[in-house]
Amino acid sequence: PDVTHVVQVGMASDRATYIHRLGRTARAGKQGGGVLLLADFEKRFLDTLDDLPIRKKDAISAAERRPLEAELNDAFSQLPEELLNGAYQAWLGFYNSQRKTTNLTPEALVALANSLATDTMQLPSPPALEAKIIGKMGLKGVKGLVKANDAPRPPRAPRASGGVSGARSAVEANGRPVWDAPPRSHNT
């Protein structure tokens, strides 16, 4: 296909995966480029790519970031809580497997995951995880993790969409929030 650019958000699991993804731009003799967006804690991943022609750019300013954060907040406010809970668990699992590369302690990892949940995803508290999952991740006893059945989570309050149409509304059913969502179209 005619892929001209690949944007990778977050570090890849390893060098080979990064190169494979980037290689999607170089099909049938065509050329392309890539953008790799990393958080500060992911920067050590660049050490595995030190022989590649990567140009580093400075982070955007706070003034440039503000309007993007507003759009991101609107987008997250429209996602179902179940999806966000799953994203939290997947994020925690991936970066837990990358602790050697990121040099994060289990406590720092959980603190970052919880900040993602409450600050970025706008959840009222970090999602609860089953004790079995916490154990499989090797995070038993790490402060900040919420174990399922430890405490009930309040439903996520509906937010004003800030002009985005199709905002979701919470309805209680069997004690759990249910979200009405407009149908989505996917371009494939």
Side-chain angles (χ1 to χ4, degrees), residues 70-131:
E71 287 183 43
L72 189 62
N73 288 341
D74 280 341
F76 272 114
S77 73
Q78 295 183 47
L79 294 173
E81 189 168 354
E82 280 184 16
L83 179 72
L84 297 175
N85 292 347
Y88 170 87
Q89 182 174 323
W91 188 97
L92 188 60
F94 174 77
Y95 286 104
N96 187 48
S97 73
Q98 298 297 317
R99 283 194 4 243
K100 184 175 180 182
T101 301
T102 61
N103 206 28
L104 289 172
T105 65
E107 293 76 16
L109 172 72
V110 169
L112 282 171
N114 290 350
S115 175
L116 173 72
T118 57
D119 299 338
T120 304
M121 295 181 180
Q122 304 173 43
L123 293 169
S125 64
L129 299 173
E130 297 292 329

Side-chain angles (χ1 to χ4, degrees), residues 3-179:
V3 176
T4 60
H5 290 82
V6 172
V7 178
Q8 296 186 57
V9 180
M11 60 185 270
S13 56
D14 55 37
R15 174 188 169 89
T17 302
Y18 168 79
I19 291 172
H20 174 74
R21 290 175 182 165
L22 192 59
R24 297 194 178 279
T25 64
R27 306 286 168 138
K30 297 184 179 181
Q31 292 189 3
V35 176
L36 176 60
L37 302 173
L38 298 175
D40 287 339
F41 72 91
E42 296 173 300
K43 287 183 181 177
R44 288 186 57 197
F45 178 69
L46 291 174
D47 295 344
T48 67
L49 310 174
D50 61 354
D51 61 323
L52 299 177
I54 295 176
R55 290 180 302 172
K56 296 177 187 174
K57 293 192 170 192
D58 293 332
I60 62 174
S61 70
E64 294 170 306
R65 192 171 54 242
R66 271 196 253 355
L68 299 174
E69 287 174 346
E71 287 183 43
L72 189 62
N73 288 341
D74 280 341
F76 272 114
S77 73
Q78 295 183 47
L79 294 173
E81 189 168 354
E82 280 184 16
L83 179 72
L84 297 175
N85 292 347
Y88 170 87
Q89 182 174 323
W91 188 97
L92 188 60
F94 174 77
Y95 286 104
N96 187 48
S97 73
Q98 298 297 317
R99 283 194 4 243
K100 184 175 180 182
T101 301
T102 61
N103 206 28
L104 289 172
T105 65
E107 293 76 16
L109 172 72
V110 169
L112 282 171
N114 290 350
S115 175
L116 173 72
T118 57
D119 299 338
T120 304
M121 295 181 180
Q122 304 173 43
L123 293 169
S125 64
L129 299 173
E130 297 292 329
K132 179 178 170 181
I133 299 294
I134 293 171
K136 283 184 177 183
M137 288 185 187
L139 298 174
K140 185 177 179 180
V142 176
K143 186 178 178 181
L145 286 174
V146 178
K147 260 196 293 185
N149 301 327
D150 274 0
R153 281 177 36 94
R156 183 171 143 199
R159 293 178 39 97
S161 67
V164 176
S165 63
R168 299 164 195 270
S169 60
V171 178
E172 289 294 319
N174 299 328
R176 301 199 60 185
V178 177
W179 295 86

